[in-house]
Amino acid sequence: MKVPAHTTAYLRAILVGLAIALLGLAPQPHAARQALREAQQAVQGVDPRAAATALEQAAPYYPWRQDLWVSAARHALQAGDAPGAMRLFERAGMADQLSESELLVFGDLSLTSGDSLAAEAFWQQAARSAPSSPAGPLRLAKYHLQRQDYPAAISDLQAALALSPADTEIAYQLGLLLAAWQPQEAVPYLEQASTNPERAFAALQILSSIE
């Protein structure tokens, strides 16, 4: 099994900590060494939940090693534990430095667990953290459509299309939504969508009903 690059970096960091423990420089060498060994085994075994637990247990022995908290958080996130991952990111002082992809995953996991408000907040933060990417607005658009908040979904799709103006699929979704609410405003989006072979027939059919 190929080990991802970020996992290799985590292993290297763990091995450095283990070397320190073996030299007797850690506050509690035996307990610290055991925790780091368990973390190393979990990471090598591609068991993110066990890796997160072991890294969290090891981190307090090395208060100068914030990377252990970050590694634990990312493994918790990989294991699908959004609350645990956020707690660990906060412990590492990294909650305000999450990447767009991490925030999107946090939102997805929060929604799956039934916390829709947290999901929306994470996706909004993702949109703010990566203002040139349409991913955050598109997640919000899907969420608002599911909640039948059509004005919000229209706004989200407009924001996404502004960031990716050549995307005919976004144009089609926006045109389809506007056709039911503001038909004349849907026209330019449907005309753009008609250049997409997969959407052309439907877009032209809707356009003919408007015009």
Side-chain angles (χ1 to χ4, degrees):
M1 180 181 294
K2 184 178 180 181
V3 179
H6 68 275
T7 297
T8 301
Y10 295 155
L11 281 169
R12 189 179 301 115
I14 291 169
L15 288 171
V16 170
L18 182 57
I20 293 172
L22 287 169
L23 289 171
L25 301 178
Q28 299 182 40
H30 177 73
R33 182 168 64 250
Q34 181 63 29
L36 283 173
R37 280 178 173 166
E38 289 176 0
Q40 181 185 5
Q41 290 170 356
V43 171
Q44 288 178 326
V46 195
D47 185 345
R49 191 174 299 277
T53 299
L55 286 163
E56 183 177 6
Q57 291 172 347
Y61 295 113
Y62 304 95
W64 63 92
R65 293 279 311 275
Q66 293 302 94
D67 61 294
L68 293 176
W69 292 107
V70 174
S71 178
R74 291 201 161 118
H75 278 91
L77 186 59
Q78 186 181 352
D81 180 8
M86 178 52 68
R87 174 178 56 78
L88 291 164
F89 272 120
E90 289 172 347
R91 178 62 180 78
M94 292 279 292
D96 61 345
Q97 300 178 43
L98 296 174
S99 69
E100 178 198 31
S101 61
E102 287 166 342
L103 289 165
L104 291 172
V105 173
F106 269 124
D108 294 344
L109 292 172
S110 296
L111 187 65
T112 299
S113 67
D115 192 345
S116 60
L117 292 178
E120 185 177 19
F122 280 124
W123 293 327
Q124 288 172 341
Q125 189 176 345
R128 291 191 295 269
S129 71
S132 62
S133 169
L138 286 173
R139 280 292 210 292
L140 287 165
K142 182 178 180 180
Y143 168 73
H144 288 136
L145 280 172
Q146 291 173 341
R147 294 179 65 85
Q148 299 184 345
D149 186 348
Y150 301 118
I154 288 171
S155 179
D156 296 330
L157 288 169
Q158 287 173 331
L161 190 60
L163 295 169
S164 186
D167 194 317
T168 55
E169 180 61 28
I170 298 176
Y172 176 74
Q173 297 297 333
L174 182 54
L176 193 63
L177 194 54
L178 283 169
W181 289 81
Q182 300 162 306
Q184 291 305 315
E185 293 188 21
V187 171
Y189 301 112
L190 291 170
E191 288 177 342
Q192 180 181 351
S194 69
T195 64
N196 180 338
E198 295 182 1
R199 296 299 191 184
F201 180 77
L204 291 171
Q205 287 288 98
I206 299 170
L207 275 170
S208 66
S209 68
I210 294 173
E211 300 173 347

